[in-house]
């Protein structure tokens, strides 16, 4: 299923460069835009769970953490 994507507020220079690149490749600006997005996103690798967990540990380093056991106990006490 095809979807549409509208990009607004582009700098005139970017639009000019996109059109020039499209002309060099013998494509429309829209086709060139699709090719650029496809290439950029196909080269991107999704991070693994381990990488995401490591990033979260770095982001939360030095913060006070409540032990899971305490949270479970408090949750049971509220019932």
């Amino acid at each position: 299923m095809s979807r549409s994507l509208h990009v607004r507020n582009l700098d005139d220079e970017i639009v000019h460069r996109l059109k020039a690149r499209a002309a060099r490749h013998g494509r429309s600006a829209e086709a060139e835009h699709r090719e650029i997005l496809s290439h950029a996103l196909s080269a991107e690798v999704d991070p693994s769970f381990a990488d995401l967990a490591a990033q979260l540990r770095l982001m939360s380093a030095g913060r006070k953490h409540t032990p899971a056991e305490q949270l479970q106990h408090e949750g049971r006490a509220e019932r």
Side-chain angles (χ1 to χ4, degrees):
M1 181 181 306
S2 294
R3 299 281 184 205
S4 292
L5 175 67
H6 301 275
V7 181
R8 294 180 178 87
N9 301 322
L10 289 172
D11 185 60
D12 289 341
E13 178 62 21
I14 296 295
V15 174
H16 173 75
R17 291 176 63 190
L18 175 66
K19 289 180 179 181
R21 179 177 164 154
R24 285 193 310 273
H25 294 138
R27 295 190 271 250
S28 68
E30 183 177 345
E32 189 69 20
H33 187 190
R34 280 193 302 268
E35 179 63 26
I36 291 167
L37 285 171
S38 178
H39 178 74
L41 295 175
S42 67
E44 188 173 300
V45 177
D46 289 335
S48 69
F49 178 80
D51 290 340
L52 291 172
Q55 184 179 6
L56 182 59
R57 281 192 296 276
L58 286 173
M59 290 170 55
S60 60
R63 293 185 182 174
K64 181 181 177 189
H65 298 281
T66 305
E69 299 81 18
Q70 181 180 342
L71 294 173
Q72 286 177 336
H73 179 71
E74 291 172 2
R76 289 180 184 140
E78 290 177 0
R79 291 185 204 167

